[in-house]
Amino acid sequence: MMNWERLISAKRFGMERYYDAKHDRRSVFQRDYDRLIFSAPFRRLQNKTQVFPLPGSVFVHNRLTHSLEVACVGRSLGYGVSDRLKERYGAEGGHFDEIGSIVAAACLAHDMGNPPFGHSGENAIATYFSEGKGMTLKERHGLTDAEWADFTHFDGNANAFRLLTHRFNGRREGGFAMTYSTLASIVKYPFEAVNADGKKCKFGFFQSEKEAYGRIAGELGIADAPEGNGRKARYPLVYLVEAADDICYQVMDVDDAFKLKLLSFEQTRELLMAFLPEERQQRAERIFETVKDENERVGYLRSTVIGILIDECVRVFAEHEDEILAGKFKGALIDCIGERPRAAYRQMSKLAVGKIYRAQMVLDIELAGYRIITELMDDLMSAVFEPEKSYSRQLLNRIPAQYDVQSESAYGRILSVIDYVSGMTDIYALDLYRKITGMNLPTL
């Protein structure tokens, strides 16, 4: 059974020898949040596709605005759970005050490992190795099954953990030097790729960061998963980060679809009203008598739905705390909310697949992004393994020095290419693609 006193730790990864218990006016977890906000990888999220193409005449969500909203919802979830835990544990629960800050910081970071062009970017990198020209690399360079699984199952969640913990060339030890608790909160799948579910292919860390996650799990006392197989139980606050993401992407994708006129006002109103109990629906109708602007009406319903889902997820977490601490809770918090909001959420998810994620503008950006990333991966991979060629030398000069393209291991060289490509914005990737294919020439 995991215990909260050990789970909430102010120790910083890579800076353990400097650890002390002193506090300034900001807690260490608030400093995690600030450190992320001011970082270049976080700023680059403003030009990474969430779902809809960027930019456009209508300003829809990008990875940055999504992450900020998830952090706001995550903070509210954290505060709600903190209050519930303090009620349960009384005077022994002083360390619960920081849960909101930990969850908010982890929410900011949860998408930082995602490549450009939305989920098609993840798929393009993975299938480059499983279906594309990268298929031959395993045999040619003697990669282990575990190393190869990192690439064929590439996942943005594992890449975020690497980005935050890896010591890139010229950088300090410990990467971002985040607290152990914040780092543990972003690892949704606490196991390596070779232990991943064959269908979902989700995992939490690359082989290069396996030891790092082991250190964090040992320090925080994260339990082994009951099913074994080399897996750890989820760190409890992961459930809150996941819930914040589940709430935001589903509700805000519908909001964007309404703004882009993929959904009518009546369709959007019906979807959101379904979450509200009858008395709150009546209250909404009274408000609509005075508020005629459709955008304002949708905004009111959206905020009401988010509030309902926050309260429900806090309740579920509190009711299942013992199972969560024992590593026995299965699924996501959103799967266990009350009957009315659960049915409304499922209906919204079903409609999103048909009306949003298969919309032509979404498919077009995914198809273009897939081709761009595949071509970049192929050229860059050839360059790192054939550096003696003239073209390779020119292309390698374009890669920033922080990426270890001269790694002694083939695994390390491949990771350096993935690090570079996944860190690109949509615009940067498109610009580089056009230049190396000769479609665009630089101008003065």
Side-chain angles (χ1 to χ4, degrees):
M1 177 77 76
M2 294 178 275
N3 71 83
W4 286 110
E5 191 167 351
R6 189 173 175 187
L7 287 167
I8 299 178
S9 169
K11 187 175 290 188
R12 290 194 176 280
F13 185 78
M15 298 182 67
E16 292 85 354
R17 63 184 178 275
Y18 303 115
Y19 173 71
D20 61 46
K22 291 189 297 185
H23 299 280
D24 61 17
R25 299 182 74 175
R26 293 177 303 156
S27 75
V28 290
F29 307 111
Q30 290 168 340
R31 293 203 295 273
D32 279 350
Y33 185 97
D34 295 348
R35 188 170 293 184
L36 291 163
I37 283 282
F38 283 92
S39 71
F42 183 75
R43 289 196 301 275
R44 286 199 292 269
L45 294 177
Q46 69 183 304
N47 193 241
K48 287 191 176 185
T49 297
Q50 175 68 16
V51 174
F52 297 105
L54 304 172
S57 57
V58 177
F59 285 90
V60 294
H61 287 80
N62 53 42
R63 288 282 182 188
L64 186 140
T65 51
H66 168 72
S67 297
L68 290 169
E69 289 172 349
V70 173
C72 289
V73 172
R75 184 186 297 113
S76 296
L77 286 164
Y79 287 154
V81 166
S82 174
D83 289 342
R84 292 289 195 104
L85 294 177
K86 284 190 286 188
E87 287 176 8
R88 177 174 181 179
Y89 293 97
E92 299 177 6
H95 46 291
F96 296 134
D97 290 333
E98 298 293 354
I99 289 178
S101 296
I102 296 169
V103 175
C107 288
L108 276 188
H110 84 285
D111 268 354
M112 284 176 62
N114 284 64
F117 304 113
H119 290 295
S120 70
E122 285 181 290
N123 191 39
I125 292 175
T127 55
Y128 172 78
F129 299 100
S130 63
E131 301 174 9
K133 294 180 180 180
M135 291 176 64
T136 62
L137 293 173
K138 183 177 189 288
E139 298 302 326
R140 280 167 52 196
H141 299 288
L143 297 170
T144 68
D145 289 342
E147 290 172 337
W148 189 241
D150 284 352
F151 305 138
T152 57
H153 292 177
F154 175 82
D155 185 78
N157 187 251
N159 202 43
F161 186 73
R162 174 174 169 81
L163 176 65
L164 294 176
T165 58
H166 181 66
R167 186 179 188 178
F168 291 94
N169 289 342
R171 303 300 175 88
R172 66 178 170 186
E173 186 179 350
F176 275 57
M178 309 293 285
T179 60
Y180 279 37
S181 293
T182 297
L183 288 172
S185 297
I186 71 163
V187 183
K188 291 173 64 175
Y189 313 101
F191 43 83
E192 55 193 301
V194 288
N195 290 331
D197 185 313
K199 295 179 182 179
K200 294 183 179 179
C201 295
K202 296 288 188 179
F203 66 105
F205 45 84
F206 298 127
Q207 290 299 301
S208 52
E209 283 69 54
K210 181 177 179 179
E211 186 272 336
Y213 185 76
R215 280 166 53 193
I216 292 169
E219 173 69 23
L220 300 179
I222 298 176
D224 292 333
E227 63 269 26
N229 195 27
R231 296 187 177 203
K232 286 287 187 181
R234 274 184 163 189
Y235 179 71
L237 300 187
V238 166
Y239 289 99
L240 301 182
V241 175
E242 179 182 53
D245 191 29
D246 288 342
I247 291 169
C248 286
Y249 85 76
Q250 201 67 265
V251 175
M252 301 313 298
D253 285 353
V254 166
D255 188 63
D256 281 344
F258 166 68
K259 289 183 172 67
L260 291 168
K261 302 189 185 306
L262 293 174
L263 295 177
S264 68
F265 170 73
E266 285 304 322
Q267 286 175 307
T268 308
R269 177 187 176 280
E270 181 179 352
L271 284 171
L272 296 174
M273 274 287 199
F275 286 87
L276 278 58
E278 290 185 12
E279 65 274 12
R280 297 192 75 168
Q281 289 188 22
Q282 293 170 4
R283 180 184 175 188
E285 295 293 355
R286 290 195 298 270
I287 290 174
F288 289 172
E289 291 175 4
T290 57
V291 176
K292 301 299 183 183
D293 183 270
E294 290 184 347
N295 288 305
E296 197 72 14
R297 288 178 169 183
V298 169
Y300 168 76
L301 289 176
R302 180 192 66 220
S303 63
T304 303
V305 168
I306 289 174
I308 289 171
L309 292 175
I310 288 172
D311 290 343
E312 281 291 299
C313 287
V314 167
R315 177 187 61 77
V316 173
F317 188 99
E319 290 179 358
H320 294 272
E321 184 204 354
D322 289 341
E323 291 173 69
I324 290 170
L325 291 177
K328 296 180 180 179
F329 185 79
K330 300 297 182 184
L333 299 180
I334 203 79
D335 298 329
C336 301
I337 59 177
E339 183 178 349
R340 178 188 289 271
R342 185 169 70 251
Y345 187 88
R346 287 176 177 170
Q347 179 60 29
M348 183 178 283
S349 300
K350 181 179 178 181
L351 180 138
V353 171
K355 288 276 190 177
I356 299 175
Y357 306 136
R358 293 177 184 167
Q360 181 176 327
M361 66 175 72
V362 175
L363 295 176
D364 285 348
I365 191 67
E366 290 185 345
L367 288 169
Y370 192 99
R371 173 60 61 88
I372 291 167
I373 287 180
T374 299
E375 293 292 331
L376 290 177
M377 289 286 293
D378 192 40
D379 279 12
L380 291 165
M381 212 63 73
S382 295
V384 299
F385 284 111
E386 299 174 319
E388 70 284 353
K389 293 186 176 181
S390 177
Y391 180 72
S392 295
R393 289 197 299 270
Q394 292 177 321
L395 189 54
L396 290 175
N397 285 334
R398 289 287 266 105
I399 301 178
Q402 71 188 72
Y403 302 116
D404 191 14
V405 295
Q406 297 180 340
S407 172
E408 293 183 2
S409 72
Y411 177 73
R413 291 189 187 190
I414 294 172
L415 275 177
S416 72
V417 172
I418 292 175
D419 289 334
Y420 180 42
V421 172
S422 64
M424 294 178 181
T425 64
D426 293 17
I427 288 177
Y428 184 96
L430 175 60
D431 181 61
L432 181 60
Y433 171 79
R434 284 173 169 169
K435 286 175 178 174
I436 66 177
T437 57
M439 295 170 62
N440 249 10
L441 292 175
T443 57
L444 296 177

